[in-house]
Every structure is written in C-alpha cells, then in structure tokens.
Amino acid sequence: MARFSSVLIYDGECPYCSVAAKALEQVDDIGAISWYDESAQSFLTAQFDEPPFAMVLVDRPAQQVFAGRAAAEELAGRAGLPDLVGSLVRENYERIAHVVGLASGRGKEPDDVHEQYALTDDAQDRFETLARNAVGRDIRADA
C-alpha cells in the first residue's frame, strides 16, 4: 500500500511549481510527482481523458481531484498558510504560471482547469501506482 493518501502532480521543470510544492514540507500525507512522470500521465488520462497541463492535487480519501488554482489553494490551506495566501494564490494562479513559464522558457501554457472534480473509477485504479512513485516531504532532496 502506498504511503501517501494524497498526491500533488506538478510541473517538475517549472521553478514556481517546484517552490509551490515545497509547501508539502508542512504536510505529512501528501506526496509529489512530476507531471512528466509516466504514472502521472496515466492517472491524468484516466481522470480527464486528455492530461491537462496544470497543477493537480489528488485526495484519495475524499475521492476528489483539485486542478489548477483550486489545487494551489487547497495545498496552501493544507500547509496551514493563512487564508490570505490561499486567496492570493487562487486569484493570481494564471498570471504567475504565465510569467514563470516565460521566464523558464517552458513554452507551454497551463490548461484552463481550475475546479474540484470527483475522482473517477479509472483514475482511482491508478492511484496506488501514482502514490508509490511520489516523493516525500522535501521534493528537492528526493530529486
């Protein structure tokens, strides 16, 4: 059985996303995995048909998937950051992602998915592999 009950899928090549994922150091039961990982792609395809290029937080116990700014806001809340930080993240998610994408030379814009979704049966079937491949609290130490 996987050691994480939730997993954050993030752009491992994006400096902003990597820094945002550092909030995981405050949360014990969330693992992180790069959007580019094969198990992340398999999970995202099962959940959305076409894998959205976005930060995605999967909460298996709640059977929920948070995408885009909803994921960033949920992660901020779970990390115990003040509500103001969560609001700023939600309101500025696209702008920050766009600017960071330009600065990093990523050349890929985040997809327009910013909601909370029910975990599909197909995606749930892939969660164990996703969680098993996720890294722990300090994503930079595991990289």
Side-chain angles (χ1 to χ4, degrees):
M1 181 172 223
R3 63 182 170 150
F4 302 113
S5 61
S6 297
V7 174
L8 177 70
I9 301 170
Y10 70 102
D11 179 1
E13 296 179 6
C14 166
Y16 166 70
C17 297
S18 295
V19 168
K22 288 286 285 177
L24 292 177
E25 292 181 7
Q26 306 302 316
V27 186
D28 289 329
D29 66 341
I30 300 177
I33 193 165
S34 173
W35 184 88
Y36 301 96
D37 186 273
E38 186 177 313
S39 60
Q41 288 295 298
S42 176
F43 175 87
L44 291 169
T45 300
Q47 177 69 35
F48 295 100
D49 293 327
E50 287 291 321
F53 188 64
M55 182 180 287
V56 174
L57 178 63
V58 184
D59 183 333
R60 185 179 193 177
Q63 300 290 296
Q64 296 294 304
V65 177
F66 303 85
R69 66 176 164 261
E73 184 177 24
E74 181 71 14
L75 181 60
R78 291 183 187 203
L81 300 174
D83 289 342
L84 175 63
V85 174
S87 294
L88 288 171
V89 166
R90 180 186 68 242
E91 293 169 14
N92 294 293
Y93 177 84
E94 290 99 345
R95 187 174 323 146
I96 294 168
H98 174 74
V99 169
V100 170
L102 290 175
S104 69
R106 177 178 63 217
K108 188 173 196 170
E109 287 293 319
D111 288 323
D112 191 21
V113 290
H114 303 289
E115 304 297 326
Q116 182 176 341
Y117 306 88
L119 182 64
T120 67
D121 291 339
D122 287 342
Q124 182 164 311
D125 290 343
R126 289 167 176 77
F127 182 83
E128 281 297 317
T129 302
L130 180 74
R132 209 172 20 255
N133 291 336
V135 297
R137 292 170 63 128
D138 187 345
I139 62 169
R140 291 176 193 237
D142 288 338

